[in-house]
Amino acid sequence: MALKKILIVSGTHGNEINPVWAVNQFSKHNDANVNHIEYKYTIGNPLAFERGCRYIDNDLNRSFNSTKDNLDNSIYEINRANYLVEKFGVNGSDPCDIAIDLHTTTSNMGTSIVMYGRRIKDFCLAALLQHKFGLPIYLHEKDQKQTGFLVEAWPCGLVIEIGSVAQNFYDPKIINRFLIIIKALRDEINKLKNNQIKLAKDLVVHVHQGSIDYPREKNGNINALIHPSRMNQDWKPIKTSDPLFMDMEGNTQTYKGEDTIWPVFIGEVAYKEKNIAMSFTKKEVLGLSDHVCEEFFS
Ligand SMILES: [Zn+2]
């Protein structure tokens, strides 16, 4: 694939405002076209961004399902998803080869890469960023309840997720981290094209295993919170009998599984509506065969 255009999406969730600022700042001070790689910029969900909410009718980042489900044009985000694909999709009027979707989280995850499914091209892009920055990779798969992610509508694409930061709160440190990544991406692709860097053959990924809800009473009310010793401990292993939640009486609920797991999105505010208190991952090492990525980016 001849690589030409990379679509940089910010504001896919309208209350994640730091990526929007970062992209505005970057585009004002940098050429769109560098080393034959052109950046295109768009705000994923402009109406939600204007209103400071995550979405209007539906989560835009769950609205990119195949066309059959996408005919309900009374839903703002489905219209928006269709528009973005018609404009920037590979068969669109202004086609892009890669989509980079910028998000923030209220969880203490630092900077990470989120991938959906096991597309070789995504692994190459993730390997490139991991090589440069050592970022952890969260491979979100095996979750039938969550589909229709934006980047899946392009042949290659990743989410960059940075936290912790509150929704609708501008944090210059977070903005700066986005700027560093946007700036580095084209340079790194160019270096790989020119054989100036070599990617590791093995890629460590954290593979999604499932999510757990807060403990609840019969009426649905949450009756325990994330345990104080578990707060902000994203990516840190949880073993059998380690604490997960604590109720009002100070009783601890522990992890009952036998396998060590690595939690992500601990206490993410936006996932409360999805009944997710945290997600569990397991580490897996994936092998990248020789030259597959060099060929992709050449
Ligand atoms: Zn988001």
Side-chain angles (χ1 to χ4, degrees), residues 12 17 24-25 27 33 37 52 65 71 77 97 128 139 166 169-170 182 193 196 200 219 229 238 248 275 277 280 285:
T12 295
I17 60 177
N24 274 340
Q25 187 173 330
S27 63
N33 198 326
I37 299 170
N65 285 310
L71 293 175
E77 279 76 13
D97 310 289
L128 194 70
L139 173 54
F169 175 75
Y170 283 117
I182 300 168
K193 269 165 52 175
Q196 288 167 319
N219 63 10
S229 68
I238 299 177
M248 283 184 190
N275 290 0
F280 289 160
V285 179

Side-chain angles (χ1 to χ4, degrees), residues 28-138:
K28 278 207 175 88
H29 299 105
N30 292 272
D31 292 337
N33 198 326
V34 172
N35 294 328
H36 307 293
I37 299 170
E38 187 179 357
Y39 276 171
K40 293 270 169 187
Y41 309 103
T42 191
I43 292 182
N45 197 330
L47 189 54
F49 175 67
E50 200 182 296
R51 294 185 188 174
C53 57
R54 185 172 171 86
Y55 54 79
I56 305 299
D57 299 315
N58 257 351
D59 188 336
L60 178 64
N61 203 26
R62 306 290 185 277
S63 299
F64 286 80
N65 285 310
S66 54
T67 47
K68 186 161 63 70
D69 302 325
N70 272 16
L71 293 175
D72 186 353
N73 57 15
S74 67
I75 294 174
Y76 174 75
E77 279 76 13
I78 287 182
N79 278 323
R80 187 69 193 159
N82 290 340
Y83 164 80
L84 291 170
V85 171
E86 280 161 22
K87 179 153 190 206
F88 297 111
V90 279
N91 299 315
S93 54
D94 192 3
C96 294
D97 310 289
I98 293 176
I100 303 291
D101 191 16
L102 307 176
H103 289 252
T104 59
T105 172
T106 64
S107 301
N108 186 36
M109 286 173 63
T111 304
S112 64
I113 298 166
V114 186
M115 304 177 47
Y116 305 98
R118 298 185 180 229
R119 303 187 298 189
I120 293 290
K121 291 171 181 178
D122 296 350
F123 283 131
C124 291
L125 199 57
L128 194 70
L129 288 171
Q130 195 173 65
H131 175 271
K132 172 74 177 168
F133 297 111
L135 304 178
I137 299 168
Y138 172 37

